Amino acid sequence: VFPADYPFKAPLIYFTTRIFHPNISQSGTICLDTLTYNWSASLSIGKVLMSIQQLMADPNPSDPLDGTSARMFRNNRVKYNKTARQWTREYAYPPPGYVFTTSQTTTSPANNEDSTGSGGSFSSW
């Protein structure tokens, strides 16, 4: 959500899909300093999205919004990874038969298959 005084005020960015991550709250809020006190009008949306991507790949459990996932990340990485994968399958993976399209109105069953025709890489988890 872009505020009326953007780019002088940071956009409101949050996840609508549940994510098991130390720096993402259960409401989808992101703990990222560039979206709060380190916001600068010179930051492009591309740079903000790259910062979010980096945070997703490299969590900061020392400054968590979700204490449960932060503790698990620090103390039991195997369990953390397993739980994150489970949440991905449960909350972010499309339902069986879902077809990815640009308009979301076409229903071609081949669109959700990978190049081998097997349906995607999540099956190896």
mmCIF file of all heavy atoms in Angstrom, residues 42-93:
data_model
loop_
_atom_site.group_PDB
_atom_site.id
_atom_site.type_symbol
_atom_site.label_atom_id
_atom_site.label_comp_id
_atom_site.label_asym_id
_atom_site.label_seq_id
_atom_site.Cartn_x
_atom_site.Cartn_y
_atom_site.Cartn_z
ATOM 1 N N SER A 42 14.804 7.961 -1.455
ATOM 2 C CA SER A 42 15.629 7.529 -2.581
ATOM 3 C C SER A 42 15.574 6.016 -2.806
ATOM 4 O O SER A 42 16.086 5.523 -3.807
ATOM 5 C CB SER A 42 17.085 7.957 -2.370
ATOM 6 O OG SER A 42 17.633 7.285 -1.257
ATOM 7 N N LEU A 43 14.959 5.270 -1.886
ATOM 8 C CA LEU A 43 14.851 3.823 -2.065
ATOM 9 C C LEU A 43 13.788 3.488 -3.103
ATOM 10 O O LEU A 43 12.655 3.952 -3.012
ATOM 11 C CB LEU A 43 14.490 3.134 -0.744
ATOM 12 C CG LEU A 43 15.582 3.083 0.307
ATOM 13 C CD1 LEU A 43 15.038 2.539 1.621
ATOM 14 C CD2 LEU A 43 16.731 2.208 -0.182
ATOM 15 N N SER A 44 14.168 2.700 -4.068
ATOM 16 C CA SER A 44 13.206 2.257 -5.077
ATOM 17 C C SER A 44 12.474 1.021 -4.559
ATOM 18 O O SER A 44 12.951 0.334 -3.659
ATOM 19 C CB SER A 44 13.916 1.924 -6.385
ATOM 20 O OG SER A 44 14.715 0.761 -6.227
ATOM 21 N N ILE A 45 11.339 0.740 -5.154
ATOM 22 C CA ILE A 45 10.599 -0.461 -4.774
ATOM 23 C C ILE A 45 11.439 -1.693 -5.075
ATOM 24 O O ILE A 45 11.423 -2.666 -4.317
ATOM 25 C CB ILE A 45 9.237 -0.517 -5.493
ATOM 26 C CG1 ILE A 45 8.327 0.595 -4.957
ATOM 27 C CG2 ILE A 45 8.569 -1.867 -5.313
ATOM 28 C CD1 ILE A 45 8.093 0.521 -3.454
ATOM 29 N N GLY A 46 12.195 -1.659 -6.146
ATOM 30 C CA GLY A 46 13.075 -2.784 -6.467
ATOM 31 C C GLY A 46 14.067 -3.061 -5.352
ATOM 32 O O GLY A 46 14.301 -4.215 -4.982
ATOM 33 N N LYS A 47 14.640 -2.006 -4.786
ATOM 34 C CA LYS A 47 15.595 -2.177 -3.686
ATOM 35 C C LYS A 47 14.890 -2.707 -2.438
ATOM 36 O O LYS A 47 15.445 -3.523 -1.704
ATOM 37 C CB LYS A 47 16.307 -0.865 -3.380
ATOM 38 C CG LYS A 47 17.301 -0.476 -4.442
ATOM 39 C CD LYS A 47 17.964 0.843 -4.125
ATOM 40 C CE LYS A 47 18.911 1.238 -5.243
ATOM 41 N NZ LYS A 47 19.516 2.553 -5.025
ATOM 42 N N VAL A 48 13.680 -2.243 -2.187
ATOM 43 C CA VAL A 48 12.916 -2.727 -1.035
ATOM 44 C C VAL A 48 12.610 -4.212 -1.203
ATOM 45 O O VAL A 48 12.786 -5.007 -0.275
ATOM 46 C CB VAL A 48 11.620 -1.916 -0.847
ATOM 47 C CG1 VAL A 48 10.723 -2.554 0.198
ATOM 48 C CG2 VAL A 48 11.935 -0.471 -0.477
ATOM 49 N N LEU A 49 12.183 -4.605 -2.394
ATOM 50 C CA LEU A 49 11.881 -6.008 -2.639
ATOM 51 C C LEU A 49 13.134 -6.871 -2.541
ATOM 52 O O LEU A 49 13.075 -8.000 -2.035
ATOM 53 C CB LEU A 49 11.204 -6.186 -3.999
ATOM 54 C CG LEU A 49 9.806 -5.573 -4.108
ATOM 55 C CD1 LEU A 49 9.285 -5.690 -5.535
ATOM 56 C CD2 LEU A 49 8.845 -6.201 -3.119
ATOM 57 N N MET A 50 14.269 -6.351 -2.976
ATOM 58 C CA MET A 50 15.520 -7.089 -2.819
ATOM 59 C C MET A 50 15.877 -7.247 -1.345
ATOM 60 O O MET A 50 16.363 -8.300 -0.927
ATOM 61 C CB MET A 50 16.654 -6.383 -3.572
ATOM 62 C CG MET A 50 16.587 -6.631 -5.062
ATOM 63 S SD MET A 50 17.853 -5.792 -6.049
ATOM 64 C CE MET A 50 19.327 -6.017 -5.120
ATOM 65 N N SER A 51 15.597 -6.223 -0.528
ATOM 66 C CA SER A 51 15.847 -6.316 0.912
ATOM 67 C C SER A 51 14.954 -7.373 1.549
ATOM 68 O O SER A 51 15.406 -8.137 2.412
ATOM 69 C CB SER A 51 15.607 -4.965 1.590
ATOM 70 O OG SER A 51 16.528 -4.015 1.155
ATOM 71 N N ILE A 52 13.702 -7.432 1.127
ATOM 72 C CA ILE A 52 12.785 -8.447 1.648
ATOM 73 C C ILE A 52 13.254 -9.836 1.223
ATOM 74 O O ILE A 52 13.269 -10.771 2.035
ATOM 75 C CB ILE A 52 11.336 -8.185 1.192
ATOM 76 C CG1 ILE A 52 10.817 -6.885 1.818
ATOM 77 C CG2 ILE A 52 10.429 -9.362 1.538
ATOM 78 C CD1 ILE A 52 9.506 -6.402 1.250
ATOM 79 N N GLN A 53 13.670 -9.959 -0.018
ATOM 80 C CA GLN A 53 14.178 -11.248 -0.506
ATOM 81 C C GLN A 53 15.401 -11.679 0.299
ATOM 82 O O GLN A 53 15.516 -12.844 0.684
ATOM 83 C CB GLN A 53 14.523 -11.144 -1.990
ATOM 84 C CG GLN A 53 14.973 -12.441 -2.601
ATOM 85 C CD GLN A 53 15.266 -12.296 -4.082
ATOM 86 O OE1 GLN A 53 15.462 -11.208 -4.606
ATOM 87 N NE2 GLN A 53 15.291 -13.413 -4.774
ATOM 88 N N GLN A 54 16.297 -10.751 0.594
ATOM 89 C CA GLN A 54 17.478 -11.072 1.388
ATOM 90 C C GLN A 54 17.084 -11.502 2.803
ATOM 91 O O GLN A 54 17.631 -12.455 3.348
ATOM 92 C CB GLN A 54 18.433 -9.867 1.448
ATOM 93 C CG GLN A 54 19.655 -10.086 2.296
ATOM 94 C CD GLN A 54 20.544 -11.203 1.787
ATOM 95 O OE1 GLN A 54 20.674 -11.406 0.590
ATOM 96 N NE2 GLN A 54 21.151 -11.951 2.696
ATOM 97 N N LEU A 55 16.129 -10.802 3.402
ATOM 98 C CA LEU A 55 15.663 -11.155 4.740
ATOM 99 C C LEU A 55 15.039 -12.548 4.752
ATOM 100 O O LEU A 55 15.255 -13.314 5.694
ATOM 101 C CB LEU A 55 14.643 -10.129 5.240
ATOM 102 C CG LEU A 55 14.099 -10.350 6.640
ATOM 103 C CD1 LEU A 55 15.199 -10.149 7.674
ATOM 104 C CD2 LEU A 55 12.938 -9.403 6.896
ATOM 105 N N MET A 56 14.299 -12.878 3.709
ATOM 106 C CA MET A 56 13.696 -14.210 3.637
ATOM 107 C C MET A 56 14.770 -15.290 3.573
ATOM 108 O O MET A 56 14.642 -16.333 4.201
ATOM 109 C CB MET A 56 12.773 -14.322 2.420
ATOM 110 C CG MET A 56 11.567 -13.390 2.463
ATOM 111 S SD MET A 56 10.521 -13.650 3.886
ATOM 112 C CE MET A 56 9.915 -15.279 3.548
ATOM 113 N N ALA A 57 15.836 -15.020 2.839
ATOM 114 C CA ALA A 57 16.912 -16.000 2.686
ATOM 115 C C ALA A 57 17.841 -16.054 3.890
ATOM 116 O O ALA A 57 18.434 -17.091 4.175
ATOM 117 C CB ALA A 57 17.724 -15.683 1.432
ATOM 118 N N ASP A 58 17.959 -14.941 4.601
ATOM 119 C CA ASP A 58 18.894 -14.844 5.722
ATOM 120 C C ASP A 58 18.188 -14.198 6.916
ATOM 121 O O ASP A 58 18.369 -13.010 7.191
ATOM 122 C CB ASP A 58 20.110 -14.024 5.289
ATOM 123 C CG ASP A 58 21.219 -14.026 6.317
ATOM 124 O OD1 ASP A 58 21.248 -14.935 7.174
ATOM 125 O OD2 ASP A 58 22.063 -13.109 6.256
ATOM 126 N N PRO A 59 17.366 -14.959 7.647
ATOM 127 C CA PRO A 59 16.607 -14.411 8.773
ATOM 128 C C PRO A 59 17.512 -13.818 9.853
ATOM 129 O O PRO A 59 18.672 -14.206 9.982
ATOM 130 C CB PRO A 59 15.855 -15.620 9.337
ATOM 131 C CG PRO A 59 15.828 -16.604 8.237
ATOM 132 C CD PRO A 59 17.085 -16.382 7.447
ATOM 133 N N ASN A 60 16.961 -12.886 10.603
ATOM 134 C CA ASN A 60 17.663 -12.276 11.728
ATOM 135 C C ASN A 60 16.925 -12.658 13.010
ATOM 136 O O ASN A 60 16.047 -11.931 13.464
ATOM 137 C CB ASN A 60 17.731 -10.763 11.559
ATOM 138 C CG ASN A 60 18.438 -10.093 12.708
ATOM 139 O OD1 ASN A 60 18.982 -10.743 13.597
ATOM 140 N ND2 ASN A 60 18.425 -8.772 12.697
ATOM 141 N N PRO A 61 17.278 -13.795 13.628
ATOM 142 C CA PRO A 61 16.564 -14.231 14.828
ATOM 143 C C PRO A 61 16.856 -13.365 16.053
ATOM 144 O O PRO A 61 16.185 -13.497 17.070
ATOM 145 C CB PRO A 61 17.058 -15.667 15.029
ATOM 146 C CG PRO A 61 18.394 -15.698 14.392
ATOM 147 C CD PRO A 61 18.318 -14.743 13.230
ATOM 148 N N SER A 62 17.820 -12.458 15.949
ATOM 149 C CA SER A 62 18.132 -11.562 17.070
ATOM 150 C C SER A 62 17.143 -10.408 17.178
ATOM 151 O O SER A 62 17.104 -9.724 18.191
ATOM 152 C CB SER A 62 19.546 -11.000 16.907
ATOM 153 O OG SER A 62 20.479 -12.052 16.902
ATOM 154 N N ASP A 63 16.363 -10.164 16.125
ATOM 155 C CA ASP A 63 15.378 -9.083 16.117
ATOM 156 C C ASP A 63 14.063 -9.636 15.568
ATOM 157 O O ASP A 63 13.590 -9.222 14.522
ATOM 158 C CB ASP A 63 15.896 -7.931 15.254
ATOM 159 C CG ASP A 63 15.012 -6.706 15.327
ATOM 160 O OD1 ASP A 63 14.254 -6.555 16.316
ATOM 161 O OD2 ASP A 63 15.069 -5.888 14.384
ATOM 162 N N PRO A 64 13.464 -10.606 16.287
ATOM 163 C CA PRO A 64 12.309 -11.307 15.729
ATOM 164 C C PRO A 64 10.971 -10.604 15.950
ATOM 165 O O PRO A 64 10.801 -9.827 16.877
ATOM 166 C CB PRO A 64 12.314 -12.628 16.486
ATOM 167 C CG PRO A 64 12.842 -12.266 17.829
ATOM 168 C CD PRO A 64 13.877 -11.188 17.564
ATOM 169 N N LEU A 65 10.047 -10.906 15.059
ATOM 170 C CA LEU A 65 8.638 -10.577 15.278
ATOM 171 C C LEU A 65 7.893 -11.833 15.722
ATOM 172 O O LEU A 65 6.816 -11.746 16.276
ATOM 173 C CB LEU A 65 7.995 -10.043 13.993
ATOM 174 C CG LEU A 65 8.297 -8.605 13.631
ATOM 175 C CD1 LEU A 65 7.604 -8.229 12.326
ATOM 176 C CD2 LEU A 65 7.857 -7.659 14.735
ATOM 177 N N ASP A 66 8.474 -12.991 15.443
ATOM 178 C CA ASP A 66 7.885 -14.268 15.844
ATOM 179 C C ASP A 66 8.913 -15.023 16.680
ATOM 180 O O ASP A 66 9.851 -15.621 16.155
ATOM 181 C CB ASP A 66 7.477 -15.077 14.608
ATOM 182 C CG ASP A 66 6.843 -16.408 14.985
ATOM 183 O OD1 ASP A 66 6.019 -16.429 15.921
ATOM 184 O OD2 ASP A 66 7.185 -17.425 14.359
ATOM 185 N N GLY A 67 8.733 -14.986 17.999
ATOM 186 C CA GLY A 67 9.680 -15.597 18.920
ATOM 187 C C GLY A 67 9.796 -17.098 18.785
ATOM 188 O O GLY A 67 10.885 -17.660 18.918
ATOM 189 N N THR A 68 8.690 -17.763 18.468
ATOM 190 C CA THR A 68 8.712 -19.220 18.337
ATOM 191 C C THR A 68 9.637 -19.646 17.201
ATOM 192 O O THR A 68 10.506 -20.504 17.372
ATOM 193 C CB THR A 68 7.294 -19.768 18.104
ATOM 194 O OG1 THR A 68 6.477 -19.410 19.207
ATOM 195 C CG2 THR A 68 7.301 -21.271 17.933
ATOM 196 N N SER A 69 9.461 -19.051 16.025
ATOM 197 C CA SER A 69 10.301 -19.437 14.889
ATOM 198 C C SER A 69 11.743 -18.982 15.099
ATOM 199 O O SER A 69 12.677 -19.667 14.681
ATOM 200 C CB SER A 69 9.748 -18.904 13.569
ATOM 201 O OG SER A 69 9.721 -17.503 13.562
ATOM 202 N N ALA A 70 11.957 -17.854 15.777
ATOM 203 C CA ALA A 70 13.322 -17.382 16.049
ATOM 204 C C ALA A 70 14.066 -18.357 16.959
ATOM 205 O O ALA A 70 15.229 -18.699 16.701
ATOM 206 C CB ALA A 70 13.287 -15.995 16.674
ATOM 207 N N ARG A 71 13.397 -18.805 18.032
ATOM 208 C CA ARG A 71 14.031 -19.778 18.933
ATOM 209 C C ARG A 71 14.339 -21.076 18.202
ATOM 210 O O ARG A 71 15.414 -21.653 18.347
ATOM 211 C CB ARG A 71 13.142 -20.057 20.144
ATOM 212 C CG ARG A 71 13.243 -19.015 21.243
ATOM 213 C CD ARG A 71 12.471 -19.415 22.488
ATOM 214 N NE ARG A 71 11.033 -19.578 22.255
ATOM 215 C CZ ARG A 71 10.172 -18.565 22.166
ATOM 216 N NH1 ARG A 71 10.594 -17.324 22.290
ATOM 217 N NH2 ARG A 71 8.889 -18.796 21.958
ATOM 218 N N MET A 72 13.384 -21.530 17.391
ATOM 219 C CA MET A 72 13.588 -22.771 16.655
ATOM 220 C C MET A 72 14.718 -22.608 15.630
ATOM 221 O O MET A 72 15.530 -23.515 15.450
ATOM 222 C CB MET A 72 12.285 -23.178 15.958
ATOM 223 C CG MET A 72 12.272 -24.608 15.496
ATOM 224 S SD MET A 72 10.725 -25.055 14.647
ATOM 225 C CE MET A 72 9.509 -24.837 15.940
ATOM 226 N N PHE A 73 14.783 -21.449 14.987
ATOM 227 C CA PHE A 73 15.842 -21.178 14.012
ATOM 228 C C PHE A 73 17.216 -21.267 14.685
ATOM 229 O O PHE A 73 18.152 -21.835 14.135
ATOM 230 C CB PHE A 73 15.642 -19.788 13.392
ATOM 231 C CG PHE A 73 16.631 -19.442 12.317
ATOM 232 C CD1 PHE A 73 16.412 -19.826 11.007
ATOM 233 C CD2 PHE A 73 17.776 -18.717 12.614
ATOM 234 C CE1 PHE A 73 17.328 -19.501 10.002
ATOM 235 C CE2 PHE A 73 18.687 -18.397 11.632
ATOM 236 C CZ PHE A 73 18.462 -18.783 10.316
ATOM 237 N N ARG A 74 17.320 -20.695 15.894
ATOM 238 C CA ARG A 74 18.603 -20.702 16.617
ATOM 239 C C ARG A 74 18.939 -22.066 17.218
ATOM 240 O O ARG A 74 20.091 -22.478 17.212
ATOM 241 C CB ARG A 74 18.571 -19.666 17.742
ATOM 242 C CG ARG A 74 18.789 -18.254 17.295
ATOM 243 C CD ARG A 74 19.061 -17.331 18.479
ATOM 244 N NE ARG A 74 17.996 -17.350 19.470
ATOM 245 C CZ ARG A 74 17.025 -16.453 19.551
ATOM 246 N NH1 ARG A 74 16.974 -15.457 18.698
ATOM 247 N NH2 ARG A 74 16.102 -16.542 20.477
ATOM 248 N N ASN A 75 17.927 -22.764 17.745
ATOM 249 C CA ASN A 75 18.186 -23.964 18.539
ATOM 250 C C ASN A 75 17.988 -25.294 17.831
ATOM 251 O O ASN A 75 18.531 -26.304 18.282
ATOM 252 C CB ASN A 75 17.303 -23.948 19.796
ATOM 253 C CG ASN A 75 17.563 -22.725 20.643
ATOM 254 O OD1 ASN A 75 18.683 -22.233 20.708
ATOM 255 N ND2 ASN A 75 16.519 -22.226 21.275
ATOM 256 N N ASN A 76 17.187 -25.318 16.766
ATOM 257 C CA ASN A 76 16.911 -26.590 16.096
ATOM 258 C C ASN A 76 16.595 -26.299 14.626
ATOM 259 O O ASN A 76 15.444 -26.303 14.208
ATOM 260 C CB ASN A 76 15.733 -27.304 16.774
ATOM 261 C CG ASN A 76 15.554 -28.716 16.280
ATOM 262 O OD1 ASN A 76 16.041 -29.090 15.219
ATOM 263 N ND2 ASN A 76 14.826 -29.509 17.056
ATOM 264 N N ARG A 77 17.646 -26.061 13.849
ATOM 265 C CA ARG A 77 17.473 -25.661 12.444
ATOM 266 C C ARG A 77 16.745 -26.723 11.624
ATOM 267 O O ARG A 77 15.967 -26.386 10.739
ATOM 268 C CB ARG A 77 18.834 -25.355 11.836
ATOM 269 C CG ARG A 77 18.794 -24.697 10.469
ATOM 270 C CD ARG A 77 18.243 -23.278 10.492
ATOM 271 N NE ARG A 77 19.037 -22.411 11.317
ATOM 272 C CZ ARG A 77 20.073 -21.703 10.883
ATOM 273 N NH1 ARG A 77 20.430 -21.752 9.627
ATOM 274 N NH2 ARG A 77 20.743 -20.937 11.718
ATOM 275 N N VAL A 78 16.967 -27.990 11.914
ATOM 276 C CA VAL A 78 16.281 -29.054 11.174
ATOM 277 C C VAL A 78 14.770 -28.945 11.385
ATOM 278 O O VAL A 78 13.989 -28.998 10.425
ATOM 279 C CB VAL A 78 16.812 -30.450 11.593
ATOM 280 C CG1 VAL A 78 15.952 -31.554 10.992
ATOM 281 C CG2 VAL A 78 18.265 -30.610 11.177
ATOM 282 N N LYS A 79 14.353 -28.771 12.628
ATOM 283 C CA LYS A 79 12.919 -28.632 12.925
ATOM 284 C C LYS A 79 12.364 -27.341 12.310
ATOM 285 O O LYS A 79 11.247 -27.324 11.788
ATOM 286 C CB LYS A 79 12.679 -28.651 14.434
ATOM 287 C CG LYS A 79 11.213 -28.646 14.805
ATOM 288 C CD LYS A 79 11.015 -28.788 16.302
ATOM 289 C CE LYS A 79 9.531 -28.774 16.646
ATOM 290 N NZ LYS A 79 9.318 -28.865 18.092
ATOM 291 N N TYR A 80 13.141 -26.256 12.381
ATOM 292 C CA TYR A 80 12.722 -24.986 11.769
ATOM 293 C C TYR A 80 12.468 -25.181 10.273
ATOM 294 O O TYR A 80 11.424 -24.791 9.759
ATOM 295 C CB TYR A 80 13.784 -23.896 11.995
ATOM 296 C CG TYR A 80 13.512 -22.651 11.202
ATOM 297 C CD1 TYR A 80 12.663 -21.667 11.685
ATOM 298 C CD2 TYR A 80 14.084 -22.464 9.943
ATOM 299 C CE1 TYR A 80 12.395 -20.528 10.949
ATOM 300 C CE2 TYR A 80 13.816 -21.337 9.206
ATOM 301 C CZ TYR A 80 12.975 -20.371 9.705
ATOM 302 O OH TYR A 80 12.696 -19.250 8.969
ATOM 303 N N ASN A 81 13.437 -25.777 9.573
ATOM 304 C CA ASN A 81 13.291 -25.987 8.130
ATOM 305 C C ASN A 81 12.094 -26.875 7.815
ATOM 306 O O ASN A 81 11.349 -26.608 6.874
ATOM 307 C CB ASN A 81 14.569 -26.592 7.548
ATOM 308 C CG ASN A 81 15.713 -25.604 7.519
ATOM 309 O OD1 ASN A 81 15.531 -24.394 7.576
ATOM 310 N ND2 ASN A 81 16.923 -26.129 7.447
ATOM 311 N N LYS A 82 11.897 -27.914 8.606
ATOM 312 C CA LYS A 82 10.761 -28.813 8.396
ATOM 313 C C LYS A 82 9.436 -28.067 8.592
ATOM 314 O O LYS A 82 8.499 -28.220 7.802
ATOM 315 C CB LYS A 82 10.858 -30.001 9.360
ATOM 316 C CG LYS A 82 9.778 -31.036 9.159
ATOM 317 C CD LYS A 82 9.964 -32.219 10.099
ATOM 318 C CE LYS A 82 8.869 -33.237 9.888
ATOM 319 N NZ LYS A 82 9.033 -34.392 10.764
ATOM 320 N N THR A 83 9.361 -27.250 9.636
ATOM 321 C CA THR A 83 8.137 -26.481 9.902
ATOM 322 C C THR A 83 7.890 -25.450 8.806
ATOM 323 O O THR A 83 6.754 -25.281 8.348
ATOM 324 C CB THR A 83 8.224 -25.787 11.282
ATOM 325 O OG1 THR A 83 8.475 -26.790 12.276
ATOM 326 C CG2 THR A 83 6.950 -25.040 11.610
ATOM 327 N N ALA A 84 8.946 -24.783 8.365
ATOM 328 C CA ALA A 84 8.795 -23.797 7.282
ATOM 329 C C ALA A 84 8.294 -24.469 6.006
ATOM 330 O O ALA A 84 7.414 -23.934 5.315
ATOM 331 C CB ALA A 84 10.116 -23.082 7.039
ATOM 332 N N ARG A 85 8.823 -25.630 5.681
ATOM 333 C CA ARG A 85 8.344 -26.371 4.509
ATOM 334 C C ARG A 85 6.880 -26.772 4.665
ATOM 335 O O ARG A 85 6.093 -26.683 3.724
ATOM 336 C CB ARG A 85 9.196 -27.619 4.291
ATOM 337 C CG ARG A 85 10.520 -27.344 3.671
ATOM 338 C CD ARG A 85 11.234 -28.654 3.311
ATOM 339 N NE ARG A 85 12.638 -28.404 3.160
ATOM 340 C CZ ARG A 85 13.558 -28.674 4.082
ATOM 341 N NH1 ARG A 85 13.226 -29.239 5.221
ATOM 342 N NH2 ARG A 85 14.822 -28.391 3.858
ATOM 343 N N GLN A 86 6.517 -27.224 5.885
ATOM 344 C CA GLN A 86 5.132 -27.620 6.139
ATOM 345 C C GLN A 86 4.198 -26.425 5.939
ATOM 346 O O GLN A 86 3.143 -26.558 5.319
ATOM 347 C CB GLN A 86 4.999 -28.165 7.558
ATOM 348 C CG GLN A 86 3.591 -28.542 7.932
ATOM 349 C CD GLN A 86 3.466 -28.915 9.407
ATOM 350 O OE1 GLN A 86 4.457 -29.036 10.122
ATOM 351 N NE2 GLN A 86 2.239 -29.094 9.856
ATOM 352 N N TRP A 87 4.564 -25.270 6.476
ATOM 353 C CA TRP A 87 3.737 -24.075 6.314
ATOM 354 C C TRP A 87 3.640 -23.682 4.842
ATOM 355 O O TRP A 87 2.592 -23.236 4.388
ATOM 356 C CB TRP A 87 4.295 -22.922 7.137
ATOM 357 C CG TRP A 87 3.943 -22.962 8.581
ATOM 358 C CD1 TRP A 87 3.936 -24.038 9.419
ATOM 359 C CD2 TRP A 87 3.560 -21.849 9.380
ATOM 360 N NE1 TRP A 87 3.583 -23.667 10.680
ATOM 361 C CE2 TRP A 87 3.341 -22.318 10.691
ATOM 362 C CE3 TRP A 87 3.402 -20.497 9.123
ATOM 363 C CZ2 TRP A 87 2.956 -21.487 11.725
ATOM 364 C CZ3 TRP A 87 3.022 -19.663 10.155
ATOM 365 C CH2 TRP A 87 2.793 -20.159 11.448
ATOM 366 N N THR A 88 4.731 -23.840 4.106
ATOM 367 C CA THR A 88 4.702 -23.522 2.676
ATOM 368 C C THR A 88 3.701 -24.419 1.974
ATOM 369 O O THR A 88 2.870 -23.945 1.188
ATOM 370 C CB THR A 88 6.103 -23.684 2.056
ATOM 371 O OG1 THR A 88 7.000 -22.783 2.706
ATOM 372 C CG2 THR A 88 6.081 -23.395 0.563
ATOM 373 N N ARG A 89 3.757 -25.710 2.243
ATOM 374 C CA ARG A 89 2.802 -26.632 1.621
ATOM 375 C C ARG A 89 1.366 -26.316 2.045
ATOM 376 O O ARG A 89 0.439 -26.358 1.246
ATOM 377 C CB ARG A 89 3.141 -28.074 1.975
ATOM 378 C CG ARG A 89 4.289 -28.646 1.164
ATOM 379 C CD ARG A 89 4.422 -30.147 1.364
ATOM 380 N NE ARG A 89 4.718 -30.507 2.745
ATOM 381 C CZ ARG A 89 5.940 -30.612 3.257
ATOM 382 N NH1 ARG A 89 6.983 -30.384 2.516
ATOM 383 N NH2 ARG A 89 6.104 -30.953 4.517
ATOM 384 N N GLU A 90 1.186 -26.021 3.329
ATOM 385 C CA GLU A 90 -0.163 -25.804 3.859
ATOM 386 C C GLU A 90 -0.768 -24.465 3.447
ATOM 387 O O GLU A 90 -1.946 -24.388 3.120
ATOM 388 C CB GLU A 90 -0.127 -25.901 5.382
ATOM 389 C CG GLU A 90 -1.496 -25.904 6.025
ATOM 390 C CD GLU A 90 -1.437 -26.203 7.507
ATOM 391 O OE1 GLU A 90 -0.460 -26.835 7.972
ATOM 392 O OE2 GLU A 90 -2.379 -25.795 8.214
ATOM 393 N N TYR A 91 0.022 -23.408 3.464
ATOM 394 C CA TYR A 91 -0.532 -22.067 3.257
ATOM 395 C C TYR A 91 -0.173 -21.414 1.926
ATOM 396 O O TYR A 91 -0.878 -20.512 1.485
ATOM 397 C CB TYR A 91 -0.088 -21.136 4.384
ATOM 398 C CG TYR A 91 -0.521 -21.618 5.740
ATOM 399 C CD1 TYR A 91 0.412 -22.030 6.683
ATOM 400 C CD2 TYR A 91 -1.868 -21.680 6.080
ATOM 401 C CE1 TYR A 91 0.012 -22.486 7.925
ATOM 402 C CE2 TYR A 91 -2.271 -22.130 7.317
ATOM 403 C CZ TYR A 91 -1.328 -22.529 8.237
ATOM 404 O OH TYR A 91 -1.726 -22.976 9.470
ATOM 405 N N ALA A 92 0.909 -21.841 1.286
ATOM 406 C CA ALA A 92 1.359 -21.135 0.090
ATOM 407 C C ALA A 92 1.324 -21.970 -1.178
ATOM 408 O O ALA A 92 1.427 -21.420 -2.264
ATOM 409 C CB ALA A 92 2.782 -20.608 0.301
ATOM 410 N N TYR A 93 1.210 -23.263 -1.040
ATOM 411 C CA TYR A 93 1.193 -24.117 -2.219
ATOM 412 C C TYR A 93 -0.213 -24.110 -2.803
ATOM 413 O O TYR A 93 -1.195 -24.210 -2.080
ATOM 414 C CB TYR A 93 1.616 -25.536 -1.836
ATOM 415 C CG TYR A 93 2.100 -26.354 -2.998
ATOM 416 C CD1 TYR A 93 3.329 -26.113 -3.575
ATOM 417 C CD2 TYR A 93 1.313 -27.376 -3.511
ATOM 418 C CE1 TYR A 93 3.775 -26.863 -4.640
ATOM 419 C CE2 TYR A 93 1.746 -28.145 -4.575
ATOM 420 C CZ TYR A 93 2.974 -27.875 -5.138
ATOM 421 O OH TYR A 93 3.410 -28.618 -6.190
#
